[in-house]
Amino acid sequence: MIFIVLFTKYPDWPEGIYYAAIVFLLASATDKLDGYIARKYNQVTLKWCLKLLQ
């Protein structure tokens, strides 16, 4: 979401696309790390938590 905001809010900012890409890549990397840790320790989301978020 932040990627889209940075990209659309500052279209004439020359470095904006680079900052947006960095934010996107950082978010992707932390998501991958979170998934790796969850699989390594066999962690799962609680069913009641999933219902709460829906």
Side-chain angles (χ1 to χ4, degrees):
M1 183 72 167
I2 294 174
F3 173 76
I4 295 169
V5 170
L6 286 175
F7 187 66
T8 57
K9 188 169 173 84
Y10 304 105
D12 51 341
W13 187 29
E15 298 87 17
I17 188 69
Y18 299 115
Y19 289 123
I22 289 170
V23 168
F24 180 77
L25 291 173
L26 183 61
S28 298
T30 57
D31 186 49
K32 185 170 178 74
L33 178 63
D34 177 55
Y36 170 75
I37 292 169
R39 284 188 302 276
K40 182 177 179 182
Y41 294 106
N42 294 323
Q43 295 179 341
V44 295
T45 304
L46 299 175
K47 289 182 182 180
W48 66 267
C49 185
L50 287 176
K51 287 184 181 182
L52 180 68
L53 293 175
Q54 292 177 351

